[in-house]
Amino acid sequence: MAKPKVFVTRIIPEGGLKVIREYCDVDLWVEDLPPSYEVLLEHSQACDGVVSLLTDRIDAHFMDSCPQLRVVSNFAVGFDNIDIPSATNRGILVGHTPGVLTETTADFAFALLMSLARRIPEGIEYVRNDQWQTWGPMLLMGQDVHHSVLGLVGLGRIGVEMAKRARGFDMRVLYTDMYRREDLEASMGLEYASFDDVLRSADFISVHTPLTAETRHLLSKDAFSKMKKTAIVINTARGPIIDTEALTEALQNGVIGGAALDVIDPEPLRADHPLVNMPNCIVVPHIASASETTRTHMAEIAAYNLLAGLRGEKLPNGLNPEAVGTLRQTLPRTFEVL
Ligand code: 8YV
């Protein structure tokens, strides 16, 4: 019996790839740059499963062009690159990789916060440029992190871990979210606040919400105008939640104090973009989950989601379990061992 055919759109850690290779006939995209939409279609059209990345647009047209497709396994917790309702309507299962990257991403968000508050990148540049002549009483003074106010936009898994780290630094933690978490308010000393109150009161505003139609450009010109002049914005969620142009202007005009961005709209951001060269802005290339252990776990989860989907079973980390009941009836194939 044939093995299922799958397209893996980038090289992911071997821990996941070896599982996929064992059970599937794998087409692995080995280029550094992602396949274009057309190439993605071409490689996936005869496939039973696809392991996708945030750089792959998986829309209704893609699904209709791949008549055998049973499962899309996204190597990410975020899934704004995938049209989930269209997948569900077509009986295609979709998986993602939550949980394993939560603490790794929160560690990184906190590192960004501290780096910018204490001007670490500027200090590194200063020494590299041989500007260091003597100890200076006024040199590179930054903002204290301890006992400051952190405002969380979104209190999901990663937001909660960020709050934990902040509490370790005696920060006051405000959060705004669609859902109120009174349990965490009591157990962790968090304070629920309106979006505007978070903007007005926080020294550091960290974004931990998914990208949706509602959160696109949530941090806009209007939002920046409500923040403290010294406020530092941290984004490890998705770039388009912040209006890049409005942020650039806010930093250029001293409306806010700084921004530390793991994600940005667009990605990649070119080196000649004004944000890249501002001393009060850090831009890094979407690496918050990039620890060896976490990326390996993400690859394993993506592999197990893929295999479950190929078997027509509920995925260990599925986004549309209801689609199990309406799996594509057009699938005559059964696979060995799976
Ligand atoms: C990944 C992420 O680096 O999981 C996510 O949603 O943004 C990151 O962990 C990226 O998505 C890899 O595809």
Side-chain angles (χ1 to χ4, degrees), residues 244-282:
T244 302
E245 214 172 294
L247 174 66
T248 309
E249 279 171 23
L251 290 177
Q252 279 165 341
N253 301 330
V255 177
I256 64 166
L261 310 166
D262 178 49
V263 291
I264 178 99
D265 180 25
E267 288 176 22
L269 191 70
R270 301 289 17 132
D272 60 0
H273 192 280
L275 284 179
V276 176
N277 299 299
M278 289 182 188
N280 55 347
C281 186
I282 299 175

PDB file of all heavy atoms in Angstrom, residues 244-282:
ATOM      1  N   THR A 244       2.479  49.851  11.687  1.00  0.00           N
ATOM      2  CA  THR A 244       3.914  50.161  11.637  1.00  0.00           C
ATOM      3  C   THR A 244       4.169  51.639  11.351  1.00  0.00           C
ATOM      4  O   THR A 244       5.057  52.254  11.948  1.00  0.00           O
ATOM      5  CB  THR A 244       4.604  49.287  10.554  1.00  0.00           C
ATOM      6  OG1 THR A 244       4.364  47.917  10.876  1.00  0.00           O
ATOM      7  CG2 THR A 244       6.102  49.518  10.498  1.00  0.00           C
ATOM      8  N   GLU A 245       3.375  52.189  10.438  1.00  0.00           N
ATOM      9  CA  GLU A 245       3.572  53.594  10.082  1.00  0.00           C
ATOM     10  C   GLU A 245       3.288  54.502  11.284  1.00  0.00           C
ATOM     11  O   GLU A 245       4.051  55.431  11.593  1.00  0.00           O
ATOM     12  CB  GLU A 245       2.610  53.942   8.948  1.00  0.00           C
ATOM     13  CG  GLU A 245       3.179  54.946   7.980  1.00  0.00           C
ATOM     14  CD  GLU A 245       2.244  55.083   6.799  1.00  0.00           C
ATOM     15  OE1 GLU A 245       2.087  54.111   6.040  1.00  0.00           O
ATOM     16  OE2 GLU A 245       1.658  56.159   6.682  1.00  0.00           O
ATOM     17  N   ALA A 246       2.198  54.193  11.982  1.00  0.00           N
ATOM     18  CA  ALA A 246       1.840  54.992  13.166  1.00  0.00           C
ATOM     19  C   ALA A 246       2.915  54.847  14.243  1.00  0.00           C
ATOM     20  O   ALA A 246       3.254  55.820  14.927  1.00  0.00           O
ATOM     21  CB  ALA A 246       0.486  54.550  13.689  1.00  0.00           C
ATOM     22  N   LEU A 247       3.451  53.651  14.388  1.00  0.00           N
ATOM     23  CA  LEU A 247       4.507  53.443  15.390  1.00  0.00           C
ATOM     24  C   LEU A 247       5.754  54.244  15.022  1.00  0.00           C
ATOM     25  O   LEU A 247       6.381  54.887  15.872  1.00  0.00           O
ATOM     26  CB  LEU A 247       4.863  51.947  15.497  1.00  0.00           C
ATOM     27  CG  LEU A 247       6.056  51.642  16.401  1.00  0.00           C
ATOM     28  CD1 LEU A 247       5.747  51.980  17.868  1.00  0.00           C
ATOM     29  CD2 LEU A 247       6.483  50.182  16.291  1.00  0.00           C
ATOM     30  N   THR A 248       6.113  54.200  13.740  1.00  0.00           N
ATOM     31  CA  THR A 248       7.298  54.923  13.286  1.00  0.00           C
ATOM     32  C   THR A 248       7.161  56.409  13.609  1.00  0.00           C
ATOM     33  O   THR A 248       8.066  57.022  14.181  1.00  0.00           O
ATOM     34  CB  THR A 248       7.499  54.712  11.765  1.00  0.00           C
ATOM     35  OG1 THR A 248       7.454  53.314  11.489  1.00  0.00           O
ATOM     36  CG2 THR A 248       8.813  55.279  11.281  1.00  0.00           C
ATOM     37  N   GLU A 249       5.988  56.943  13.297  1.00  0.00           N
ATOM     38  CA  GLU A 249       5.746  58.368  13.588  1.00  0.00           C
ATOM     39  C   GLU A 249       5.769  58.638  15.080  1.00  0.00           C
ATOM     40  O   GLU A 249       6.328  59.641  15.531  1.00  0.00           O
ATOM     41  CB  GLU A 249       4.389  58.810  13.023  1.00  0.00           C
ATOM     42  CG  GLU A 249       4.475  59.128  11.547  1.00  0.00           C
ATOM     43  CD  GLU A 249       3.095  59.351  10.935  1.00  0.00           C
ATOM     44  OE1 GLU A 249       2.148  59.680  11.668  1.00  0.00           O
ATOM     45  OE2 GLU A 249       2.990  59.160   9.708  1.00  0.00           O
ATOM     46  N   ALA A 250       5.167  57.741  15.858  1.00  0.00           N
ATOM     47  CA  ALA A 250       5.119  57.941  17.317  1.00  0.00           C
ATOM     48  C   ALA A 250       6.543  57.977  17.893  1.00  0.00           C
ATOM     49  O   ALA A 250       6.846  58.778  18.772  1.00  0.00           O
ATOM     50  CB  ALA A 250       4.302  56.834  17.969  1.00  0.00           C
ATOM     51  N   LEU A 251       7.408  57.132  17.367  1.00  0.00           N
ATOM     52  CA  LEU A 251       8.793  57.125  17.877  1.00  0.00           C
ATOM     53  C   LEU A 251       9.553  58.351  17.375  1.00  0.00           C
ATOM     54  O   LEU A 251      10.317  58.971  18.122  1.00  0.00           O
ATOM     55  CB  LEU A 251       9.513  55.831  17.465  1.00  0.00           C
ATOM     56  CG  LEU A 251       9.012  54.557  18.169  1.00  0.00           C
ATOM     57  CD1 LEU A 251       9.747  53.329  17.635  1.00  0.00           C
ATOM     58  CD2 LEU A 251       9.188  54.634  19.676  1.00  0.00           C
ATOM     59  N   GLN A 252       9.334  58.676  16.110  1.00  0.00           N
ATOM     60  CA  GLN A 252      10.034  59.846  15.542  1.00  0.00           C
ATOM     61  C   GLN A 252       9.648  61.132  16.270  1.00  0.00           C
ATOM     62  O   GLN A 252      10.470  62.014  16.474  1.00  0.00           O
ATOM     63  CB  GLN A 252       9.715  59.989  14.046  1.00  0.00           C
ATOM     64  CG  GLN A 252      10.558  59.071  13.192  1.00  0.00           C
ATOM     65  CD  GLN A 252      10.023  58.925  11.769  1.00  0.00           C
ATOM     66  OE1 GLN A 252       8.854  59.207  11.498  1.00  0.00           O
ATOM     67  NE2 GLN A 252      10.876  58.462  10.860  1.00  0.00           N
ATOM     68  N   ASN A 253       8.370  61.222  16.701  1.00  0.00           N
ATOM     69  CA  ASN A 253       7.878  62.455  17.317  1.00  0.00           C
ATOM     70  C   ASN A 253       7.890  62.418  18.842  1.00  0.00           C
ATOM     71  O   ASN A 253       7.309  63.292  19.490  1.00  0.00           O
ATOM     72  CB  ASN A 253       6.456  62.755  16.828  1.00  0.00           C
ATOM     73  CG  ASN A 253       6.434  62.908  15.314  1.00  0.00           C
ATOM     74  OD1 ASN A 253       7.427  63.332  14.713  1.00  0.00           O
ATOM     75  ND2 ASN A 253       5.341  62.531  14.686  1.00  0.00           N
ATOM     76  N   GLY A 254       8.486  61.376  19.408  1.00  0.00           N
ATOM     77  CA  GLY A 254       8.569  61.307  20.869  1.00  0.00           C
ATOM     78  C   GLY A 254       7.233  61.117  21.551  1.00  0.00           C
ATOM     79  O   GLY A 254       7.059  61.461  22.728  1.00  0.00           O
ATOM     80  N   VAL A 255       6.260  60.535  20.838  1.00  0.00           N
ATOM     81  CA  VAL A 255       4.941  60.295  21.447  1.00  0.00           C
ATOM     82  C   VAL A 255       5.048  59.186  22.494  1.00  0.00           C
ATOM     83  O   VAL A 255       4.394  59.213  23.536  1.00  0.00           O
ATOM     84  CB  VAL A 255       3.913  59.921  20.348  1.00  0.00           C
ATOM     85  CG1 VAL A 255       2.555  59.582  20.942  1.00  0.00           C
ATOM     86  CG2 VAL A 255       3.785  61.056  19.351  1.00  0.00           C
ATOM     87  N   ILE A 256       5.892  58.179  22.218  1.00  0.00           N
ATOM     88  CA  ILE A 256       6.148  57.115  23.200  1.00  0.00           C
ATOM     89  C   ILE A 256       7.668  56.931  23.316  1.00  0.00           C
ATOM     90  O   ILE A 256       8.441  57.497  22.528  1.00  0.00           O
ATOM     91  CB  ILE A 256       5.457  55.775  22.829  1.00  0.00           C
ATOM     92  CG1 ILE A 256       6.023  55.203  21.513  1.00  0.00           C
ATOM     93  CG2 ILE A 256       3.952  55.957  22.744  1.00  0.00           C
ATOM     94  CD1 ILE A 256       5.634  53.758  21.274  1.00  0.00           C
ATOM     95  N   GLY A 257       8.080  56.104  24.273  1.00  0.00           N
ATOM     96  CA  GLY A 257       9.507  55.993  24.574  1.00  0.00           C
ATOM     97  C   GLY A 257      10.281  55.015  23.702  1.00  0.00           C
ATOM     98  O   GLY A 257      11.455  55.245  23.387  1.00  0.00           O
ATOM     99  N   GLY A 258       9.641  53.911  23.323  1.00  0.00           N
ATOM    100  CA  GLY A 258      10.402  52.921  22.553  1.00  0.00           C
ATOM    101  C   GLY A 258       9.557  51.740  22.143  1.00  0.00           C
ATOM    102  O   GLY A 258       8.398  51.604  22.555  1.00  0.00           O
ATOM    103  N   ALA A 259      10.154  50.871  21.332  1.00  0.00           N
ATOM    104  CA  ALA A 259       9.456  49.656  20.906  1.00  0.00           C
ATOM    105  C   ALA A 259      10.467  48.540  20.721  1.00  0.00           C
ATOM    106  O   ALA A 259      11.570  48.768  20.205  1.00  0.00           O
ATOM    107  CB  ALA A 259       8.695  49.898  19.599  1.00  0.00           C
ATOM    108  N   ALA A 260      10.083  47.362  21.158  1.00  0.00           N
ATOM    109  CA  ALA A 260      10.932  46.170  20.990  1.00  0.00           C
ATOM    110  C   ALA A 260      10.095  45.135  20.267  1.00  0.00           C
ATOM    111  O   ALA A 260       9.080  44.655  20.782  1.00  0.00           O
ATOM    112  CB  ALA A 260      11.390  45.663  22.343  1.00  0.00           C
ATOM    113  N   LEU A 261      10.500  44.808  19.056  1.00  0.00           N
ATOM    114  CA  LEU A 261       9.629  44.071  18.147  1.00  0.00           C
ATOM    115  C   LEU A 261      10.274  42.789  17.641  1.00  0.00           C
ATOM    116  O   LEU A 261      11.287  42.828  16.938  1.00  0.00           O
ATOM    117  CB  LEU A 261       9.297  44.962  16.944  1.00  0.00           C
ATOM    118  CG  LEU A 261       8.804  46.377  17.285  1.00  0.00           C
ATOM    119  CD1 LEU A 261       8.834  47.257  16.043  1.00  0.00           C
ATOM    120  CD2 LEU A 261       7.412  46.326  17.891  1.00  0.00           C
ATOM    121  N   ASP A 262       9.658  41.670  17.997  1.00  0.00           N
ATOM    122  CA  ASP A 262      10.082  40.400  17.404  1.00  0.00           C
ATOM    123  C   ASP A 262       9.329  40.175  16.103  1.00  0.00           C
ATOM    124  O   ASP A 262       9.790  39.435  15.232  1.00  0.00           O
ATOM    125  CB  ASP A 262       9.776  39.267  18.387  1.00  0.00           C
ATOM    126  CG  ASP A 262      10.132  37.902  17.836  1.00  0.00           C
ATOM    127  OD1 ASP A 262      11.267  37.752  17.336  1.00  0.00           O
ATOM    128  OD2 ASP A 262       9.288  36.992  17.888  1.00  0.00           O
ATOM    129  N   VAL A 263       8.156  40.798  16.027  1.00  0.00           N
ATOM    130  CA  VAL A 263       7.316  40.670  14.825  1.00  0.00           C
ATOM    131  C   VAL A 263       6.977  42.067  14.339  1.00  0.00           C
ATOM    132  O   VAL A 263       6.892  43.004  15.127  1.00  0.00           O
ATOM    133  CB  VAL A 263       6.028  39.879  15.148  1.00  0.00           C
ATOM    134  CG1 VAL A 263       6.326  38.427  15.442  1.00  0.00           C
ATOM    135  CG2 VAL A 263       5.285  40.510  16.319  1.00  0.00           C
ATOM    136  N   ILE A 264       6.792  42.200  13.053  1.00  0.00           N
ATOM    137  CA  ILE A 264       6.597  43.517  12.448  1.00  0.00           C
ATOM    138  C   ILE A 264       5.864  43.325  11.131  1.00  0.00           C
ATOM    139  O   ILE A 264       5.935  42.264  10.527  1.00  0.00           O
ATOM    140  CB  ILE A 264       7.982  44.207  12.254  1.00  0.00           C
ATOM    141  CG1 ILE A 264       7.892  45.573  11.590  1.00  0.00           C
ATOM    142  CG2 ILE A 264       8.946  43.360  11.467  1.00  0.00           C
ATOM    143  CD1 ILE A 264       7.946  46.698  12.541  1.00  0.00           C
ATOM    144  N   ASP A 265       5.171  44.341  10.719  1.00  0.00           N
ATOM    145  CA  ASP A 265       4.497  44.305   9.423  1.00  0.00           C
ATOM    146  C   ASP A 265       5.160  45.349   8.535  1.00  0.00           C
ATOM    147  O   ASP A 265       5.071  46.536   8.844  1.00  0.00           O
ATOM    148  CB  ASP A 265       3.024  44.649   9.657  1.00  0.00           C
ATOM    149  CG  ASP A 265       2.204  44.651   8.380  1.00  0.00           C
ATOM    150  OD1 ASP A 265       2.615  43.956   7.427  1.00  0.00           O
ATOM    151  OD2 ASP A 265       1.172  45.341   8.346  1.00  0.00           O
ATOM    152  N   PRO A 266       5.875  44.969   7.485  1.00  0.00           N
ATOM    153  CA  PRO A 266       5.991  43.620   6.931  1.00  0.00           C
ATOM    154  C   PRO A 266       7.186  42.856   7.518  1.00  0.00           C
ATOM    155  O   PRO A 266       8.076  43.446   8.112  1.00  0.00           O
ATOM    156  CB  PRO A 266       6.261  43.905   5.451  1.00  0.00           C
ATOM    157  CG  PRO A 266       7.091  45.156   5.485  1.00  0.00           C
ATOM    158  CD  PRO A 266       6.546  45.967   6.629  1.00  0.00           C
ATOM    159  N   GLU A 267       7.156  41.539   7.308  1.00  0.00           N
ATOM    160  CA  GLU A 267       8.323  40.701   7.574  1.00  0.00           C
ATOM    161  C   GLU A 267       8.737  40.090   6.252  1.00  0.00           C
ATOM    162  O   GLU A 267       7.864  39.579   5.548  1.00  0.00           O
ATOM    163  CB  GLU A 267       7.981  39.580   8.556  1.00  0.00           C
ATOM    164  CG  GLU A 267       7.766  40.079   9.968  1.00  0.00           C
ATOM    165  CD  GLU A 267       7.325  38.988  10.950  1.00  0.00           C
ATOM    166  OE1 GLU A 267       7.577  37.802  10.678  1.00  0.00           O
ATOM    167  OE2 GLU A 267       6.739  39.337  11.970  1.00  0.00           O
ATOM    168  N   PRO A 268      10.024  40.118   5.907  1.00  0.00           N
ATOM    169  CA  PRO A 268      11.096  40.776   6.643  1.00  0.00           C
ATOM    170  C   PRO A 268      11.028  42.300   6.474  1.00  0.00           C
ATOM    171  O   PRO A 268      10.510  42.799   5.467  1.00  0.00           O
ATOM    172  CB  PRO A 268      12.362  40.222   5.961  1.00  0.00           C
ATOM    173  CG  PRO A 268      11.926  39.876   4.583  1.00  0.00           C
ATOM    174  CD  PRO A 268      10.495  39.452   4.686  1.00  0.00           C
ATOM    175  N   LEU A 269      11.577  43.008   7.482  1.00  0.00           N
ATOM    176  CA  LEU A 269      11.690  44.461   7.396  1.00  0.00           C
ATOM    177  C   LEU A 269      13.080  44.766   6.852  1.00  0.00           C
ATOM    178  O   LEU A 269      14.075  44.192   7.323  1.00  0.00           O
ATOM    179  CB  LEU A 269      11.535  45.062   8.803  1.00  0.00           C
ATOM    180  CG  LEU A 269      11.372  46.569   8.867  1.00  0.00           C
ATOM    181  CD1 LEU A 269      10.008  46.990   8.316  1.00  0.00           C
ATOM    182  CD2 LEU A 269      11.505  47.059  10.312  1.00  0.00           C
ATOM    183  N   ARG A 270      13.153  45.632   5.864  1.00  0.00           N
ATOM    184  CA  ARG A 270      14.460  45.924   5.251  1.00  0.00           C
ATOM    185  C   ARG A 270      15.276  46.820   6.180  1.00  0.00           C
ATOM    186  O   ARG A 270      14.742  47.600   6.974  1.00  0.00           O
ATOM    187  CB  ARG A 270      14.292  46.615   3.885  1.00  0.00           C
ATOM    188  CG  ARG A 270      13.503  45.826   2.867  1.00  0.00           C
ATOM    189  CD  ARG A 270      14.116  44.570   2.242  1.00  0.00           C
ATOM    190  NE  ARG A 270      15.236  43.931   2.856  1.00  0.00           N
ATOM    191  CZ  ARG A 270      15.328  42.622   3.081  1.00  0.00           C
ATOM    192  NH1 ARG A 270      14.337  41.801   2.793  1.00  0.00           N
ATOM    193  NH2 ARG A 270      16.413  42.121   3.579  1.00  0.00           N
ATOM    194  N   ALA A 271      16.587  46.707   6.047  1.00  0.00           N
ATOM    195  CA  ALA A 271      17.507  47.405   6.951  1.00  0.00           C
ATOM    196  C   ALA A 271      17.436  48.921   6.819  1.00  0.00           C
ATOM    197  O   ALA A 271      17.879  49.640   7.709  1.00  0.00           O
ATOM    198  CB  ALA A 271      18.930  46.922   6.703  1.00  0.00           C
ATOM    199  N   ASP A 272      16.890  49.416   5.686  1.00  0.00           N
ATOM    200  CA  ASP A 272      16.817  50.870   5.548  1.00  0.00           C
ATOM    201  C   ASP A 272      15.508  51.443   6.111  1.00  0.00           C
ATOM    202  O   ASP A 272      15.241  52.638   5.990  1.00  0.00           O
ATOM    203  CB  ASP A 272      17.015  51.297   4.086  1.00  0.00           C
ATOM    204  CG  ASP A 272      15.955  50.693   3.167  1.00  0.00           C
ATOM    205  OD1 ASP A 272      15.080  49.946   3.672  1.00  0.00           O
ATOM    206  OD2 ASP A 272      15.988  50.958   1.955  1.00  0.00           O
ATOM    207  N   HIS A 273      14.707  50.598   6.740  1.00  0.00           N
ATOM    208  CA  HIS A 273      13.479  51.123   7.354  1.00  0.00           C
ATOM    209  C   HIS A 273      13.853  51.979   8.571  1.00  0.00           C
ATOM    210  O   HIS A 273      14.734  51.596   9.347  1.00  0.00           O
ATOM    211  CB  HIS A 273      12.567  49.964   7.786  1.00  0.00           C
ATOM    212  CG  HIS A 273      11.192  50.426   8.163  1.00  0.00           C
ATOM    213  ND1 HIS A 273      10.910  50.987   9.393  1.00  0.00           N
ATOM    214  CD2 HIS A 273      10.034  50.452   7.467  1.00  0.00           C
ATOM    215  CE1 HIS A 273       9.630  51.318   9.427  1.00  0.00           C
ATOM    216  NE2 HIS A 273       9.084  51.001   8.272  1.00  0.00           N
ATOM    217  N   PRO A 274      13.201  53.125   8.754  1.00  0.00           N
ATOM    218  CA  PRO A 274      13.566  54.006   9.877  1.00  0.00           C
ATOM    219  C   PRO A 274      13.575  53.302  11.239  1.00  0.00           C
ATOM    220  O   PRO A 274      14.418  53.602  12.088  1.00  0.00           O
ATOM    221  CB  PRO A 274      12.506  55.111   9.844  1.00  0.00           C
ATOM    222  CG  PRO A 274      11.700  54.921   8.616  1.00  0.00           C
ATOM    223  CD  PRO A 274      12.154  53.699   7.897  1.00  0.00           C
ATOM    224  N   LEU A 275      12.657  52.344  11.453  1.00  0.00           N
ATOM    225  CA  LEU A 275      12.605  51.676  12.769  1.00  0.00           C
ATOM    226  C   LEU A 275      13.893  50.925  13.095  1.00  0.00           C
ATOM    227  O   LEU A 275      14.267  50.783  14.255  1.00  0.00           O
ATOM    228  CB  LEU A 275      11.441  50.687  12.815  1.00  0.00           C
ATOM    229  CG  LEU A 275      10.032  51.244  12.972  1.00  0.00           C
ATOM    230  CD1 LEU A 275       9.019  50.113  12.975  1.00  0.00           C
ATOM    231  CD2 LEU A 275       9.906  52.072  14.251  1.00  0.00           C
ATOM    232  N   VAL A 276      14.548  50.439  12.043  1.00  0.00           N
ATOM    233  CA  VAL A 276      15.749  49.613  12.271  1.00  0.00           C
ATOM    234  C   VAL A 276      16.889  50.461  12.832  1.00  0.00           C
ATOM    235  O   VAL A 276      17.742  49.964  13.563  1.00  0.00           O
ATOM    236  CB  VAL A 276      16.173  48.928  10.946  1.00  0.00           C
ATOM    237  CG1 VAL A 276      17.460  48.132  11.111  1.00  0.00           C
ATOM    238  CG2 VAL A 276      15.053  48.034  10.435  1.00  0.00           C
ATOM    239  N   ASN A 277      16.859  51.718  12.503  1.00  0.00           N
ATOM    240  CA  ASN A 277      18.010  52.549  12.869  1.00  0.00           C
ATOM    241  C   ASN A 277      17.732  53.542  13.993  1.00  0.00           C
ATOM    242  O   ASN A 277      18.502  54.464  14.214  1.00  0.00           O
ATOM    243  CB  ASN A 277      18.528  53.245  11.616  1.00  0.00           C
ATOM    244  CG  ASN A 277      18.961  52.197  10.602  1.00  0.00           C
ATOM    245  OD1 ASN A 277      19.857  51.408  10.886  1.00  0.00           O
ATOM    246  ND2 ASN A 277      18.281  52.119   9.473  1.00  0.00           N
ATOM    247  N   MET A 278      16.651  53.321  14.707  1.00  0.00           N
ATOM    248  CA  MET A 278      16.366  54.208  15.845  1.00  0.00           C
ATOM    249  C   MET A 278      16.962  53.599  17.109  1.00  0.00           C
ATOM    250  O   MET A 278      16.802  52.396  17.357  1.00  0.00           O
ATOM    251  CB  MET A 278      14.855  54.320  16.048  1.00  0.00           C
ATOM    252  CG  MET A 278      14.164  55.105  14.980  1.00  0.00           C
ATOM    253  SD  MET A 278      12.407  55.186  15.404  1.00  0.00           S
ATOM    254  CE  MET A 278      11.791  55.923  13.920  1.00  0.00           C
ATOM    255  N   PRO A 279      17.625  54.414  17.931  1.00  0.00           N
ATOM    256  CA  PRO A 279      18.231  53.862  19.141  1.00  0.00           C
ATOM    257  C   PRO A 279      17.204  53.315  20.132  1.00  0.00           C
ATOM    258  O   PRO A 279      17.514  52.419  20.914  1.00  0.00           O
ATOM    259  CB  PRO A 279      18.980  55.055  19.747  1.00  0.00           C
ATOM    260  CG  PRO A 279      18.391  56.271  19.111  1.00  0.00           C
ATOM    261  CD  PRO A 279      17.860  55.852  17.770  1.00  0.00           C
ATOM    262  N   ASN A 280      15.984  53.853  20.079  1.00  0.00           N
ATOM    263  CA  ASN A 280      14.960  53.403  21.029  1.00  0.00           C
ATOM    264  C   ASN A 280      14.025  52.355  20.425  1.00  0.00           C
ATOM    265  O   ASN A 280      12.876  52.203  20.832  1.00  0.00           O
ATOM    266  CB  ASN A 280      14.152  54.595  21.561  1.00  0.00           C
ATOM    267  CG  ASN A 280      13.551  55.413  20.430  1.00  0.00           C
ATOM    268  OD1 ASN A 280      13.928  55.243  19.277  1.00  0.00           O
ATOM    269  ND2 ASN A 280      12.606  56.281  20.764  1.00  0.00           N
ATOM    270  N   CYS A 281      14.541  51.649  19.424  1.00  0.00           N
ATOM    271  CA  CYS A 281      13.735  50.574  18.822  1.00  0.00           C
ATOM    272  C   CYS A 281      14.624  49.353  18.586  1.00  0.00           C
ATOM    273  O   CYS A 281      15.763  49.480  18.129  1.00  0.00           O
ATOM    274  CB  CYS A 281      13.125  51.053  17.504  1.00  0.00           C
ATOM    275  SG  CYS A 281      11.987  49.861  16.804  1.00  0.00           S
ATOM    276  N   ILE A 282      14.100  48.195  18.947  1.00  0.00           N
ATOM    277  CA  ILE A 282      14.803  46.940  18.655  1.00  0.00           C
ATOM    278  C   ILE A 282      13.920  46.151  17.691  1.00  0.00           C
ATOM    279  O   ILE A 282      12.728  45.976  17.958  1.00  0.00           O
ATOM    280  CB  ILE A 282      14.979  46.082  19.930  1.00  0.00           C
ATOM    281  CG1 ILE A 282      15.798  46.797  20.999  1.00  0.00           C
ATOM    282  CG2 ILE A 282      15.581  44.733  19.599  1.00  0.00           C
ATOM    283  CD1 ILE A 282      15.888  46.008  22.311  1.00  0.00           C
TER     284      ILE A 282
END
